[in-house]
Amino acid sequence: MIFLNLQSKQGTRSIIIIVLIYLSSNCTTCINGCDIALASLFIWPEVYLPIISRLFDNILYSVILEWSTNIMSTFIPTTSRVNIAFPCDCLNNGEYWGHVFTYNVRANDTYDLIATRRYSSLTNKESLMREDGYPDNSFHDNNVTLKVTVNCSCENKDVSKDYGLFVTYPMRPGENLESIALIINTSSRLIEMYNLKVNFSAGSGLLYIPGKGEFKFEEKNSS
């Protein structure tokens, strides 16, 4: 129990501080998730629809094709991107939005390889290690199944009520705000509004890019 002198100015400030600490410690990022979000997957060599489907819990080919207007068949051009649709859940008691996929470890896999190559930086090594707890970069049993959390975003009413569908976009070396806006055919200002603390020159990190309704963009070759 905390006793304060309610008649003193110092006591008044202390009450305010305690209340603010209580509120901040009990606030959450999310209460509910949303039915759909998108993940922008960069395509490495020898990655095809069957591989992508297995990475994302056997998502149907037709769903991938529906949201990726730049591909017409199971063959996908290297260094292009495809959109993966998935439900965006409210995880860890409201701490963040994301969705947990499962990944069956393959020979020679490491946390870093799984994060940067298999999932094209939609997750990271630290997240995998935190979720799964296996020793760093050592999977002696190829029957290991990992939890892979991909972060996402739902409607942000603090910015605008107009946008309710978001794509999680991992930046790559050589990309910047202007080139990303050109690739996805949107304004750089809109991207900045939803990613206030992002260093767009870093060549890494996640962006959350909003769209209206059925958010489909046609990839352009950025090279």
Side-chain angles (χ1 to χ4, degrees), residues 42-168:
F42 179 84
I43 302 301
W44 294 94
E46 300 182 0
V47 173
Y48 307 105
L49 278 182
I51 295 174
I52 296 172
S53 175
R54 288 195 296 272
L55 287 173
F56 295 94
D57 293 347
N58 297 313
I59 184 173
L60 296 175
Y61 299 174
S62 59
V63 176
I64 299 174
L65 293 171
E66 177 186 357
W67 290 99
S68 304
T69 57
N70 58 313
I71 59 175
M72 305 302 295
S73 66
T74 57
F75 173 77
I76 306 173
T78 300
T79 73
S80 64
R81 287 177 180 258
V82 299
N83 294 321
I84 308 299
F86 63 99
C88 187
D89 307 313
C90 188
L91 301 178
N92 202 25
N93 296 318
E95 185 177 342
Y96 56 89
W97 278 306
H99 187 77
V100 180
F101 297 94
T102 56
Y103 175 78
N104 296 319
V105 170
R106 296 161 54 183
N108 302 317
D109 269 347
T110 64
Y111 281 125
D112 191 57
L113 187 146
I114 294 167
T116 60
R117 293 279 298 202
R118 308 285 191 233
Y119 286 90
S120 296
S121 298
L122 284 166
T123 187
N124 57 53
K125 173 182 174 180
E126 291 73 23
S127 174
L128 293 175
M129 293 179 67
R130 184 170 58 250
E131 291 284 347
D132 298 291
Y134 292 96
D136 185 19
N137 293 344
S138 60
F139 303 111
H140 300 295
D141 184 355
N142 285 338
N143 292 320
V144 168
T145 299
L146 301 181
K147 296 178 182 178
V148 179
T149 300
V150 174
N151 292 117
C152 49
S153 183
C154 294
E155 182 180 0
N156 186 342
K157 294 181 180 179
D158 292 335
V159 180
S160 174
K161 296 180 181 180
D162 295 334
Y163 301 99
L165 179 60
F166 288 79
V167 58
T168 301

Side-chain angles (χ1 to χ4, degrees), residues 20-38:
L20 289 176
I21 291 173
Y22 174 81
L23 291 175
S24 64
S25 65
N26 286 276
C27 66
T28 58
T29 297
C30 59
I31 298 175
N32 299 308
C34 45
D35 292 336
I36 189 168
L38 298 175

